[in-house]
Protein backbone atom coordinates (compact mmCIF):
# COMPACT_ATOMS: atom_id res chain seq x y z
CA UNK A 1 0.00 0.00 0.00
CA UNK A 2 2.76 2.42 0.92
CA UNK A 3 4.36 1.76 -2.44
CA UNK A 4 1.10 2.49 -4.23
CA UNK A 5 0.69 5.66 -2.25
CA UNK A 6 4.06 7.01 -3.22
CA UNK A 7 3.21 6.36 -6.86
CA UNK A 8 -0.03 8.24 -6.55
CA UNK A 9 1.69 11.05 -4.71
CA UNK A 10 4.38 11.49 -7.25
CA UNK A 11 2.24 11.32 -10.37
CA UNK A 12 1.71 15.02 -10.83
CA UNK A 13 5.39 15.69 -10.41
CA UNK A 14 6.79 13.06 -12.71
CA UNK A 15 4.42 13.22 -15.64
CA UNK A 16 5.95 15.40 -18.38
CA UNK A 17 3.41 18.14 -17.85
CA UNK A 18 4.14 21.77 -18.58
CA UNK A 19 5.52 23.76 -15.74
CA UNK A 20 3.49 24.03 -12.60
CA UNK A 21 3.48 27.36 -10.87
CA UNK A 22 4.75 27.82 -7.37
CA UNK A 23 4.93 31.10 -5.57
CA UNK A 24 8.61 31.41 -4.91
CA UNK A 25 10.41 31.18 -1.68
CA UNK A 26 13.87 32.55 -1.07
CA UNK A 27 16.05 29.56 -0.19
CA UNK A 28 16.14 28.10 -3.65
CA UNK A 29 18.04 31.00 -5.10
CA UNK A 30 20.26 29.00 -7.37
CA UNK A 31 17.50 26.72 -8.63
CA UNK A 32 15.82 28.08 -11.71
CA UNK A 33 14.64 25.55 -14.17
CA UNK A 34 11.55 23.42 -13.94
CA UNK A 35 13.68 20.32 -14.48
CA UNK A 36 15.89 21.25 -11.57
CA UNK A 37 12.82 21.68 -9.40
CA UNK A 38 11.58 18.29 -10.43
CA UNK A 39 14.94 16.77 -9.72
CA UNK A 40 15.02 18.32 -6.24
CA UNK A 41 11.49 17.18 -5.64
CA UNK A 42 12.30 13.59 -6.54
CA UNK A 43 15.38 13.71 -4.35
CA UNK A 44 13.37 15.10 -1.44
CA UNK A 45 10.94 12.21 -1.82
CA UNK A 46 13.76 9.70 -1.87
CA UNK A 47 15.19 11.28 1.27
CA UNK A 48 11.84 10.72 2.96
CA UNK A 49 11.07 14.45 3.31
CA UNK A 50 7.35 13.94 2.78
CA UNK A 51 5.13 12.39 5.40
CA UNK A 52 3.91 8.92 4.44
CA UNK A 53 0.17 9.02 4.03
CA UNK A 54 -1.59 6.71 6.41
CA UNK A 55 -4.34 5.73 4.03
CA UNK A 56 -4.85 5.99 0.34
CA UNK A 57 -6.21 3.98 -2.51
CA UNK A 58 -6.08 4.05 -6.27
CA UNK A 59 -9.55 5.55 -6.57
CA UNK A 60 -8.40 8.80 -4.95
CA UNK A 61 -8.13 11.72 -7.33
CA UNK A 62 -5.40 14.32 -6.96
CA UNK A 63 -6.73 17.84 -7.28
CA UNK A 64 -4.70 20.81 -8.54
CA UNK A 65 -3.33 22.55 -5.48
CA UNK A 66 -1.85 26.00 -4.89
CA UNK A 67 -0.14 26.90 -1.64
CA UNK A 68 -0.42 30.61 -1.11
CA UNK A 69 1.97 32.41 1.23
CA UNK A 70 0.38 35.71 2.14
CA UNK A 71 -0.89 38.09 4.76
CA UNK A 72 -4.40 38.07 6.16
CA UNK A 73 -6.63 41.01 5.19
CA UNK A 74 -9.41 41.41 7.75
CA UNK A 75 -11.50 43.15 5.09
CA UNK A 76 -11.05 40.05 2.92
CA UNK A 77 -10.51 41.94 -0.34
CA UNK A 78 -6.84 41.07 -0.73
CA UNK A 79 -4.26 38.76 0.83
CA UNK A 80 -4.99 35.20 1.90
CA UNK A 81 -8.71 35.76 1.67
CA UNK A 82 -8.53 36.91 -1.96
CA UNK A 83 -6.24 34.00 -2.83
CA UNK A 84 -8.59 31.39 -1.37
CA UNK A 85 -11.58 32.90 -3.14
CA UNK A 86 -9.77 33.21 -6.48
CA UNK A 87 -8.51 29.61 -6.30
CA UNK A 88 -11.99 28.38 -5.36
CA UNK A 89 -13.48 30.28 -8.27
CA UNK A 90 -10.85 28.80 -10.61
CA UNK A 91 -11.53 25.27 -9.33
CA UNK A 92 -8.24 24.74 -7.51
CA UNK A 93 -7.53 23.67 -3.92
CA UNK A 94 -5.78 26.37 -1.92
CA UNK A 95 -3.73 25.85 1.24
CA UNK A 96 -2.33 28.84 3.12
CA UNK A 97 0.69 30.02 5.07
CA UNK A 98 0.04 33.33 6.82
CA UNK A 99 2.99 35.68 7.20
CA UNK A 100 1.21 38.61 8.83
CA UNK A 101 -2.20 39.57 10.08
CA UNK A 102 -3.47 42.99 9.11
CA UNK A 103 -6.29 45.06 10.53
CA UNK A 104 -7.57 46.47 7.28
CA UNK A 105 -10.75 47.75 5.71
CA UNK A 106 -11.89 49.77 2.71
CA UNK A 107 -10.36 52.91 4.21
CA UNK A 108 -6.85 51.57 4.68
CA UNK A 109 -4.52 49.47 6.81
CA UNK A 110 -4.91 50.22 10.52
CA UNK A 111 -2.42 47.69 11.85
CA UNK A 112 0.01 44.92 10.94
CA UNK A 113 0.96 42.06 13.23
CA UNK A 114 3.82 39.98 11.90
CA UNK A 115 3.72 36.23 12.45
CA UNK A 116 6.97 35.04 14.13
CA UNK A 117 9.39 33.50 11.64
CA UNK A 118 9.51 30.14 13.34
CA UNK A 119 5.73 29.92 13.16
CA UNK A 120 5.76 30.76 9.44
CA UNK A 121 8.32 27.95 9.11
CA UNK A 122 6.06 25.60 11.04
CA UNK A 123 3.07 26.35 8.79
CA UNK A 124 5.24 25.78 5.72
CA UNK A 125 6.49 22.47 7.08
CA UNK A 126 2.98 21.31 7.97
CA UNK A 127 1.69 21.89 4.46
CA UNK A 128 4.72 21.02 2.36
CA UNK A 129 5.55 17.80 4.21
CA UNK A 130 2.07 16.36 4.00
CA UNK A 131 0.23 17.86 1.04
CA UNK A 132 2.75 18.94 -1.61
CA UNK A 133 1.22 21.67 -3.77
CA UNK A 134 1.58 21.91 -7.52
CA UNK A 135 2.34 25.57 -7.31
CA UNK A 136 3.46 27.94 -4.59
CA UNK A 137 2.24 31.48 -4.86
CA UNK A 138 3.89 34.12 -2.77
CA UNK A 139 1.37 36.76 -3.39
CA UNK A 140 1.82 38.88 -0.42
CA UNK A 141 3.65 41.01 1.91
CA UNK A 142 6.83 39.47 3.22
CA UNK A 143 7.31 41.64 6.24
CA UNK A 144 10.90 40.74 7.13
CA UNK A 145 14.13 39.47 5.65
CA UNK A 146 13.90 36.56 8.08
CA UNK A 147 10.59 35.44 6.56
CA UNK A 148 12.05 35.65 3.06
CA UNK A 149 14.91 33.45 4.24
CA UNK A 150 12.56 31.00 5.97
CA UNK A 151 10.58 30.66 2.75
CA UNK A 152 13.68 30.04 0.67
CA UNK A 153 14.87 27.45 3.14
CA UNK A 154 11.55 25.59 3.09
CA UNK A 155 11.39 25.58 -0.68
CA UNK A 156 14.89 24.23 -0.78
CA UNK A 157 13.81 21.43 1.49
CA UNK A 158 10.49 20.81 -0.27
CA UNK A 159 10.94 21.99 -3.85
CA UNK A 160 7.89 22.67 -5.96
CA UNK A 161 7.30 22.75 -9.67
CA UNK A 162 6.57 26.41 -10.16
CA UNK A 163 6.81 29.54 -8.11
CA UNK A 164 4.73 32.70 -8.61
CA UNK A 165 5.94 35.81 -6.81
CA UNK A 166 3.77 38.89 -6.42
CA UNK A 167 6.06 41.35 -4.65
CA UNK A 168 3.45 43.14 -2.55
CA UNK A 169 5.12 46.19 -1.05
CA UNK A 170 2.51 48.91 -0.95
CA UNK A 171 -1.25 48.44 -0.58
CA UNK A 172 -3.57 50.10 -3.06
CA UNK A 173 -4.51 52.47 -0.25
CA UNK A 174 -0.85 53.57 -0.09
CA UNK A 175 0.17 51.75 3.09
CA UNK A 176 3.72 50.32 3.04
CA UNK A 177 3.47 46.55 3.56
CA UNK A 178 7.13 45.65 3.08
CA UNK A 179 9.99 47.91 4.02
CA UNK A 180 13.01 48.72 1.84
CA UNK A 181 15.16 46.50 4.09
CA UNK A 182 13.76 43.38 2.47
CA UNK A 183 14.28 44.65 -1.10
CA UNK A 184 17.78 43.21 -1.25
CA UNK A 185 16.76 39.71 -0.20
CA UNK A 186 13.84 39.92 -2.64
CA UNK A 187 16.19 40.75 -5.49
CA UNK A 188 18.98 38.41 -4.51
CA UNK A 189 17.15 35.36 -3.23
CA UNK A 190 13.50 35.30 -4.17
CA UNK A 191 13.33 36.74 -7.68
CA UNK A 192 15.94 34.41 -9.19
CA UNK A 193 13.79 31.46 -8.10
CA UNK A 194 10.54 32.75 -9.55
CA UNK A 195 8.88 31.28 -12.62
CA UNK A 196 6.98 34.52 -12.83
CA UNK A 197 7.09 37.78 -10.89
CA UNK A 198 4.13 40.18 -11.11
CA UNK A 199 4.99 43.66 -9.81
CA UNK A 200 2.62 46.60 -10.22
CA UNK A 201 4.07 49.92 -11.40
CA UNK A 202 5.19 51.07 -7.95
CA UNK A 203 6.71 47.70 -7.11
CA UNK A 204 8.53 47.45 -10.44
CA UNK A 205 9.90 50.92 -9.84
CA UNK A 206 11.00 50.03 -6.28
CA UNK A 207 12.70 46.84 -7.48
CA UNK A 208 14.67 48.94 -9.96
CA UNK A 209 15.78 51.57 -7.47
CA UNK A 210 12.98 54.06 -8.04
CA UNK A 211 12.94 54.61 -11.82
CA UNK A 212 9.74 56.41 -12.89
CA UNK A 213 7.32 54.25 -14.90
CA UNK A 214 4.72 56.22 -16.81
CA UNK A 215 4.28 54.66 -20.23
CA UNK A 216 3.98 51.25 -21.82
CA UNK A 217 7.49 51.72 -23.20
CA UNK A 218 8.69 52.28 -19.60
CA UNK A 219 6.90 49.08 -18.56
CA UNK A 220 8.71 47.13 -21.28
CA UNK A 221 12.11 48.44 -20.17
CA UNK A 222 11.23 47.61 -16.56
CA UNK A 223 10.12 44.09 -17.48
CA UNK A 224 13.43 43.51 -19.22
CA UNK A 225 15.48 44.95 -16.36
CA UNK A 226 13.60 42.83 -13.79
CA UNK A 227 14.06 39.76 -15.98
CA UNK A 228 17.79 40.40 -15.77
CA UNK A 229 17.55 39.93 -11.99
CA UNK A 230 16.64 36.29 -12.59
CA UNK A 231 12.94 35.36 -12.80
CA UNK A 232 11.98 33.31 -15.85
CA UNK A 233 9.00 35.52 -16.72
CA UNK A 234 7.92 39.02 -15.73
CA UNK A 235 4.49 40.62 -15.80
CA UNK A 236 4.50 44.35 -15.11
CA UNK A 237 0.89 45.24 -14.25
CA UNK A 238 -0.49 48.51 -15.48
CA UNK A 239 -3.60 48.87 -13.32
CA UNK A 240 -2.27 52.21 -12.12
CA UNK A 241 -0.88 53.45 -15.43
CA UNK A 242 -1.89 57.13 -15.56
CA UNK A 243 -4.04 58.26 -18.44
CA UNK A 244 -4.45 54.79 -19.88
CA UNK A 245 -7.89 53.97 -21.21
CA UNK A 246 -7.16 50.25 -21.21
CA UNK A 247 -5.71 48.21 -18.35
CA UNK A 248 -2.48 47.07 -19.99
CA UNK A 249 -0.03 44.55 -18.51
CA UNK A 250 3.36 43.88 -20.13
CA UNK A 251 4.67 40.31 -20.16
CA UNK A 252 8.28 39.42 -20.97
CA UNK A 253 9.65 35.88 -21.15
CA UNK A 254 13.26 36.75 -21.90
CA UNK A 255 12.69 36.67 -25.66
CA UNK A 256 9.39 38.30 -26.50
CA UNK A 257 7.11 40.98 -25.13
CA UNK A 258 3.33 40.56 -25.00
CA UNK A 259 0.77 43.18 -24.05
CA UNK A 260 -2.29 41.94 -22.22
CA UNK A 261 -5.07 44.47 -22.61
CA UNK A 262 -8.54 44.68 -21.19
CA UNK A 263 -10.97 47.53 -20.98
CA UNK A 264 -10.53 49.62 -17.84
CA UNK A 265 -13.46 49.02 -15.51
CA UNK A 266 -14.53 52.26 -13.85
CA UNK A 267 -14.99 51.22 -10.24
CA UNK A 268 -13.61 51.98 -6.77
CA UNK A 269 -13.67 48.21 -6.05
CA UNK A 270 -10.12 47.37 -7.13
CA UNK A 271 -8.67 46.29 -3.77
CA UNK A 272 -7.03 42.90 -4.20
CA UNK A 273 -6.68 42.87 -8.00
CA UNK A 274 -2.96 42.06 -7.77
CA UNK A 275 -3.39 39.19 -5.29
CA UNK A 276 -6.24 37.84 -7.37
CA UNK A 277 -4.22 37.96 -10.57
CA UNK A 278 -1.23 36.18 -9.01
CA UNK A 279 -3.28 33.41 -7.41
CA UNK A 280 -5.26 32.94 -10.62
CA UNK A 281 -2.01 32.56 -12.59
CA UNK A 282 -0.91 30.01 -9.99
CA UNK A 283 -4.27 28.22 -10.25
CA UNK A 284 -4.05 27.95 -14.04
CA UNK A 285 -0.47 26.69 -13.81
CA UNK A 286 -1.57 24.12 -11.22
CA UNK A 287 -4.16 22.88 -13.72
CA UNK A 288 -1.35 22.35 -16.23
CA UNK A 289 -1.43 25.50 -18.38
CA UNK A 290 1.62 27.01 -20.01
CA UNK A 291 2.71 30.33 -18.52
CA UNK A 292 1.43 32.55 -21.33
CA UNK A 293 -2.04 31.05 -21.38
CA UNK A 294 -2.17 31.03 -17.55
CA UNK A 295 -1.57 34.80 -17.58
CA UNK A 296 -4.11 35.33 -20.34
CA UNK A 297 -6.84 33.40 -18.49
CA UNK A 298 -6.00 35.06 -15.16
CA UNK A 299 -6.19 38.54 -16.67
CA UNK A 300 -9.57 37.76 -18.23
CA UNK A 301 -10.82 36.45 -14.88
CA UNK A 302 -9.74 39.64 -13.07
CA UNK A 303 -11.52 41.73 -15.70
CA UNK A 304 -14.71 39.66 -15.32
CA UNK A 305 -14.66 39.94 -11.51
CA UNK A 306 -14.01 43.70 -11.65
CA UNK A 307 -16.82 44.18 -14.10
CA UNK A 308 -19.20 42.02 -12.06
CA UNK A 309 -18.27 43.80 -8.81
CA UNK A 310 -18.14 47.33 -10.11
CA UNK A 311 -21.23 48.54 -8.26
CA UNK A 312 -21.13 46.49 -5.08
CA UNK A 313 -21.06 48.53 -1.88
CA UNK A 314 -19.07 47.05 1.01
CA UNK A 315 -17.52 49.51 3.47
CA UNK A 316 -17.42 53.28 3.53
CA UNK A 317 -13.88 53.80 2.19
CA UNK A 318 -12.73 54.31 -1.35
CA UNK A 319 -10.93 50.96 -1.80
CA UNK A 320 -13.73 48.45 -2.10
CA UNK A 321 -13.21 44.71 -2.49
CA UNK A 322 -14.28 42.57 -5.44
CA UNK A 323 -16.65 39.64 -5.35
CA UNK A 324 -14.61 36.69 -6.62
CA UNK A 325 -17.42 34.15 -6.51
CA UNK A 326 -19.46 35.97 -9.11
CA UNK A 327 -21.20 32.85 -10.35
CA UNK A 328 -22.53 31.92 -6.93
CA UNK A 329 -23.61 35.48 -6.33
CA UNK A 330 -25.56 35.68 -9.54
CA UNK A 331 -27.48 32.57 -8.49
CA UNK A 332 -28.18 33.94 -5.05
CA UNK A 333 -29.37 37.24 -6.48
CA UNK A 334 -31.77 35.68 -8.93
CA UNK A 335 -35.34 36.01 -7.78
CA UNK A 336 -36.95 32.66 -6.97
CA UNK A 337 -39.71 31.50 -9.27
CA UNK A 338 -43.12 32.71 -8.17
CA UNK A 339 -46.14 30.87 -9.67
CA UNK A 340 -47.87 34.26 -9.98
CA UNK A 341 -45.31 35.05 -12.71
CA UNK A 342 -47.41 32.80 -14.97
CA UNK A 343 -50.35 35.27 -14.96
CA UNK A 344 -49.73 36.85 -18.36
CA UNK A 345 -47.17 34.69 -20.08
CA UNK A 346 -45.97 36.14 -23.44
CA UNK A 347 -44.44 33.71 -25.96
CA UNK A 348 -42.61 35.26 -28.93
CA UNK A 349 -42.78 33.91 -32.47
CA UNK A 350 -40.18 34.68 -35.12
CA UNK A 351 -42.61 34.44 -38.08
CA UNK A 352 -44.92 37.01 -36.53
CA UNK A 353 -42.07 39.34 -35.67
CA UNK A 354 -40.87 39.12 -39.28
CA UNK A 355 -44.38 39.71 -40.60
CA UNK A 356 -44.79 42.87 -38.53
CA UNK A 357 -41.21 44.01 -39.12
CA UNK A 358 -40.08 44.08 -35.49
CA UNK A 359 -37.05 42.62 -33.77
CA UNK A 360 -37.34 40.05 -30.99
CA UNK A 361 -36.07 42.68 -28.56
CA UNK A 362 -38.71 45.23 -29.63
CA UNK A 363 -41.42 42.60 -29.28
CA UNK A 364 -40.26 41.69 -25.76
CA UNK A 365 -39.95 45.33 -24.71
CA UNK A 366 -43.51 46.06 -25.87
CA UNK A 367 -44.94 43.01 -24.11
CA UNK A 368 -43.25 43.97 -20.84
CA UNK A 369 -44.45 47.55 -21.12
CA UNK A 370 -47.96 46.20 -21.66
CA UNK A 371 -47.75 44.16 -18.43
CA UNK A 372 -46.51 40.67 -19.37
CA UNK A 373 -45.38 38.89 -16.20
CA UNK A 374 -43.03 36.36 -17.84
CA UNK A 375 -41.46 36.07 -21.31
CA UNK A 376 -40.60 32.99 -23.31
CA UNK A 377 -38.45 33.30 -26.44
CA UNK A 378 -39.78 30.73 -28.89
CA UNK A 379 -37.66 31.38 -31.94
CA UNK A 380 -37.73 28.29 -34.12
CA UNK A 381 -36.33 29.91 -37.27
CA UNK A 382 -33.48 32.00 -35.91
CA UNK A 383 -29.79 31.06 -36.25
CA UNK A 384 -28.16 30.04 -32.97
CA UNK A 385 -25.76 33.02 -32.85
CA UNK A 386 -28.57 35.50 -33.50
CA UNK A 387 -30.78 33.74 -30.97
CA UNK A 388 -28.07 34.04 -28.31
CA UNK A 389 -27.55 37.75 -29.00
CA UNK A 390 -31.30 38.36 -28.87
CA UNK A 391 -31.58 36.39 -25.61
CA UNK A 392 -28.82 38.47 -24.00
CA UNK A 393 -30.42 41.73 -25.12
CA UNK A 394 -33.88 40.62 -23.92
CA UNK A 395 -32.40 39.49 -20.60
CA UNK A 396 -31.11 43.00 -19.93
CA UNK A 397 -34.60 44.43 -20.39
CA UNK A 398 -36.25 41.65 -18.39
CA UNK A 399 -33.85 42.09 -15.47
CA UNK A 400 -34.57 45.83 -15.32
CA UNK A 401 -38.30 45.08 -15.00
CA UNK A 402 -37.94 42.01 -12.77
CA UNK A 403 -39.63 39.84 -15.40
CA UNK A 404 -38.24 36.28 -15.79
CA UNK A 405 -36.99 35.28 -19.25
CA UNK A 406 -37.30 31.68 -20.42
CA UNK A 407 -35.93 30.08 -23.58
CA UNK A 408 -38.00 27.58 -25.56
CA UNK A 409 -36.27 24.20 -26.12
CA UNK A 410 -32.70 25.54 -26.30
CA UNK A 411 -30.92 24.68 -23.06
CA UNK A 412 -27.62 25.70 -24.66
CA UNK A 413 -28.96 29.20 -25.39
CA UNK A 414 -30.42 29.46 -21.86
CA UNK A 415 -27.06 28.53 -20.35
CA UNK A 416 -25.01 30.75 -22.62
CA UNK A 417 -27.24 33.79 -22.08
CA UNK A 418 -27.79 33.10 -18.35
CA UNK A 419 -31.55 33.34 -18.94
CA UNK A 420 -33.81 32.48 -16.01
CA UNK A 421 -34.81 29.09 -17.38
CA UNK A 422 -36.30 27.01 -20.19
CA UNK A 423 -39.63 25.73 -21.40
CA UNK A 424 -39.42 22.25 -22.91
CA UNK A 425 -41.83 19.95 -24.71
CA UNK A 426 -42.42 16.20 -24.48
CA UNK A 427 -40.07 15.49 -27.37
CA UNK A 428 -37.23 17.73 -26.11
CA UNK A 429 -34.53 16.82 -23.62
CA UNK A 430 -36.10 15.14 -20.54
CA UNK A 431 -36.75 17.64 -17.76
CA UNK A 432 -34.53 15.81 -15.26
CA UNK A 433 -31.59 16.10 -17.68
CA UNK A 434 -32.36 19.79 -18.18
CA UNK A 435 -32.45 20.19 -14.40
CA UNK A 436 -29.05 18.50 -14.05
CA UNK A 437 -27.61 20.84 -16.68
CA UNK A 438 -29.23 24.03 -15.44
CA UNK A 439 -28.90 23.55 -11.68
CA UNK A 440 -31.46 24.11 -8.98
CA UNK A 441 -31.97 27.85 -9.40
CA UNK A 442 -33.25 27.99 -12.98
CA UNK A 443 -36.89 27.77 -13.91
CA UNK A 444 -38.03 24.73 -15.90
CA UNK A 445 -41.47 24.49 -17.48
CA UNK A 446 -42.77 21.40 -19.30
CA UNK A 447 -45.61 21.08 -21.84
CA UNK A 448 -48.08 18.45 -20.61
CA UNK A 449 -51.29 17.16 -22.18
CA UNK A 450 -52.05 14.34 -19.76
CA UNK A 451 -51.90 13.57 -16.03
CA UNK A 452 -49.05 11.12 -16.80
CA UNK A 453 -47.00 13.90 -18.39
CA UNK A 454 -47.78 16.11 -15.40
CA UNK A 455 -46.75 13.42 -12.93
CA UNK A 456 -43.44 12.91 -14.76
CA UNK A 457 -42.77 16.67 -14.89
CA UNK A 458 -43.19 16.84 -11.12
CA UNK A 459 -40.85 13.86 -10.58
CA UNK A 460 -38.29 15.40 -12.94
CA UNK A 461 -38.12 18.61 -10.93
CA UNK A 462 -40.09 21.01 -13.18
CA UNK A 463 -41.30 24.29 -11.68
CA UNK A 464 -44.50 24.60 -13.69
CA UNK A 465 -46.57 22.96 -16.40
CA UNK A 466 -47.78 24.49 -19.67
CA UNK A 467 -50.97 22.68 -20.66
CA UNK A 468 -52.83 22.78 -23.96
CA UNK A 469 -53.71 23.40 -26.70
CA UNK A 470 -56.81 24.52 -24.92
CA UNK A 471 -58.27 25.83 -28.20
CA UNK A 472 -57.22 25.17 -31.80
CA UNK A 473 -54.16 27.17 -32.83
CA UNK A 474 -52.07 27.60 -35.91
CA UNK A 475 -48.82 28.47 -34.12
CA UNK A 476 -48.18 24.76 -33.65
CA UNK A 477 -48.74 22.16 -36.39
CA UNK A 478 -50.48 18.84 -35.61
CA UNK A 479 -51.15 19.98 -32.08
CA UNK A 480 -53.91 18.02 -30.39
CA UNK A 481 -56.50 20.24 -28.74
CA UNK A 482 -57.32 19.10 -25.21
CA UNK A 483 -60.04 21.65 -24.50
CA UNK A 484 -61.01 23.10 -21.13
CA UNK A 485 -61.78 19.60 -19.84
CA UNK A 486 -58.34 18.29 -20.74
CA UNK A 487 -56.77 21.36 -19.08
CA UNK A 488 -58.79 20.79 -15.92
CA UNK A 489 -57.79 17.11 -15.80
CA UNK A 490 -54.11 18.03 -15.99
CA UNK A 491 -54.51 20.75 -13.33
CA UNK A 492 -56.26 18.58 -10.76
CA UNK A 493 -53.79 15.73 -11.28
CA UNK A 494 -50.79 17.90 -10.47
CA UNK A 495 -49.25 19.73 -7.56
CA UNK A 496 -47.38 22.05 -9.93
CA UNK A 497 -48.66 25.48 -11.01
CA UNK A 498 -50.15 25.42 -14.51
CA UNK A 499 -50.31 27.96 -17.32
CA UNK A 500 -52.90 27.34 -20.04
CA UNK A 501 -51.77 27.63 -23.66
CA UNK A 502 -53.20 27.30 -27.17
CA UNK A 503 -55.49 29.65 -29.03
CA UNK A 504 -56.09 31.86 -25.99
CA UNK A 505 -56.88 35.55 -26.52
CA UNK A 506 -59.18 38.38 -25.53
CA UNK A 507 -62.37 36.46 -26.35
CA UNK A 508 -61.73 33.29 -24.35
CA UNK A 509 -59.19 34.15 -21.61
CA UNK A 510 -61.97 34.72 -19.12
CA UNK A 511 -63.46 31.27 -19.69
CA UNK A 512 -60.05 29.72 -19.04
CA UNK A 513 -59.38 31.65 -15.85
CA UNK A 514 -62.83 30.82 -14.50
CA UNK A 515 -62.14 27.10 -14.66
CA UNK A 516 -61.94 27.22 -10.89
CA UNK A 517 -58.80 25.17 -10.20
CA UNK A 518 -56.41 26.84 -7.77
CA UNK A 519 -53.17 25.81 -9.45
CA UNK A 520 -54.17 27.31 -12.82
CA UNK A 521 -52.16 30.51 -12.53
CA UNK A 522 -52.43 32.21 -15.91
CA UNK A 523 -52.51 32.09 -19.68
CA UNK A 524 -49.71 31.86 -22.23
CA UNK A 525 -50.33 33.81 -25.40
CA UNK A 526 -48.64 34.03 -28.80
CA UNK A 527 -50.80 35.33 -31.68
CA UNK A 528 -53.15 37.46 -29.56
CA UNK A 529 -50.15 39.62 -28.60
CA UNK A 530 -47.56 39.26 -31.34
CA UNK A 531 -49.69 38.78 -34.50
CA UNK A 532 -51.06 42.27 -33.96
CA UNK A 533 -49.95 45.73 -34.94
CA UNK A 534 -49.40 47.08 -31.42
CA UNK A 535 -48.06 44.50 -28.99
CA UNK A 536 -48.17 46.84 -26.01
CA UNK A 537 -51.83 47.78 -26.46
CA UNK A 538 -52.91 44.16 -26.92
CA UNK A 539 -50.95 43.07 -23.83
CA UNK A 540 -52.56 45.85 -21.77
CA UNK A 541 -56.04 44.86 -22.94
CA UNK A 542 -55.46 41.19 -22.16
CA UNK A 543 -54.11 42.10 -18.72
CA UNK A 544 -57.36 43.93 -17.97
CA UNK A 545 -59.40 40.91 -19.08
CA UNK A 546 -57.34 38.61 -16.84
CA UNK A 547 -57.61 40.91 -13.84
CA UNK A 548 -61.35 41.19 -14.36
CA UNK A 549 -61.76 37.42 -14.57
CA UNK A 550 -59.91 36.84 -11.31
CA UNK A 551 -62.21 39.37 -9.61
CA UNK A 552 -65.27 37.50 -10.94
CA UNK A 553 -63.77 34.16 -9.86
CA UNK A 554 -63.43 35.48 -6.31
N1 LIG B 1 -9.85 49.36 -13.35
C1 LIG B 1 -9.36 48.24 -13.89
N2 LIG B 1 -9.98 47.67 -14.95
C2 LIG B 1 -9.51 46.54 -15.51
N3 LIG B 1 -8.42 45.90 -15.07
C3 LIG B 1 -7.75 46.42 -14.01
C4 LIG B 1 -8.17 47.62 -13.37
N4 LIG B 1 -7.32 47.88 -12.34
C5 LIG B 1 -6.41 46.89 -12.34
N5 LIG B 1 -6.64 46.02 -13.36
C6 LIG B 1 -5.90 44.80 -13.67
O1 LIG B 1 -5.78 44.09 -12.44
C7 LIG B 1 -4.52 43.44 -12.38
C8 LIG B 1 -3.76 43.94 -11.14
O2 LIG B 1 -3.18 45.17 -11.47
P1 LIG B 1 -2.71 46.32 -10.51
O3 LIG B 1 -3.90 46.97 -9.90
O4 LIG B 1 -1.83 47.19 -11.32
O5 LIG B 1 -1.90 45.51 -9.42
P2 LIG B 1 -1.90 45.64 -7.82
O6 LIG B 1 -3.26 45.26 -7.34
O7 LIG B 1 -0.82 44.71 -7.43
O8 LIG B 1 -1.62 47.07 -7.54
C9 LIG B 1 -3.83 43.76 -13.69
O9 LIG B 1 -4.10 42.74 -14.63
C10 LIG B 1 -4.49 45.07 -14.13
O10 LIG B 1 -4.41 45.31 -15.51
C1 LIG C 1 -2.76 41.34 3.56
C2 LIG C 1 -2.64 42.11 2.28
N1 LIG C 1 -2.00 41.56 1.23
C3 LIG C 1 -1.92 42.24 0.07
C4 LIG C 1 -2.46 43.49 -0.08
C5 LIG C 1 -2.32 44.27 -1.38
O1 LIG C 1 -3.54 44.42 -2.08
P1 LIG C 1 -3.89 45.82 -2.77
O2 LIG C 1 -2.71 46.23 -3.58
O3 LIG C 1 -5.08 45.62 -3.64
O4 LIG C 1 -4.19 46.75 -1.61
C6 LIG C 1 -3.11 44.05 1.03
N2 LIG C 1 -3.65 45.28 0.98
N3 LIG C 1 -3.19 43.33 2.20
MG1 LIG D 1 -4.12 47.58 -7.42
Amino acid sequence: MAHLCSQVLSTSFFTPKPQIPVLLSPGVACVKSFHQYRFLHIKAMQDGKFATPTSCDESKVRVPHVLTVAGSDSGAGAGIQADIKACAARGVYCSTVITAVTAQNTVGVQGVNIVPEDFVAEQLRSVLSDMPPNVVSISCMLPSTGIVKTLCQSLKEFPVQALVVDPVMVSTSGHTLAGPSILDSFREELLPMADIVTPNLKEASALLGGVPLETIADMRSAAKAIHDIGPRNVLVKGGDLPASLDAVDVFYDGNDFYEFRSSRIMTPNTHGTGCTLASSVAAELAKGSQMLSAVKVAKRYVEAVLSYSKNIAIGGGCQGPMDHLLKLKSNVQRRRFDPCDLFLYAVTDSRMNKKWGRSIVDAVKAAIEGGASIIQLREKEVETGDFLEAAKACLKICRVHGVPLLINDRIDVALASDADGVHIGQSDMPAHVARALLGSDKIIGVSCKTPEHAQQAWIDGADYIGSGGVYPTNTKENNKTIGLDGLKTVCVSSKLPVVAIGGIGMSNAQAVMQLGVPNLKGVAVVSALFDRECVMTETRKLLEVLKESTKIAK
Side-chain angles (χ1 to χ4, degrees), residues 170-173 200 202 237 239-240 270-275 319:
V170 186
S171 77
T172 307
S173 58
N200 63 19
K202 282 191 206 112
K237 299 172 295 189
D240 299 327
T270 58
H271 177 52
T273 44
C275 306
Q319 275 302 321

Side-chain angles (χ1 to χ4, degrees), residues 19 34 151 436 441 498 520 535:
Q19 68 206 39
F34 172 54
L151 266 168
D441 290 316
V498 180
L520 178 63
V535 174

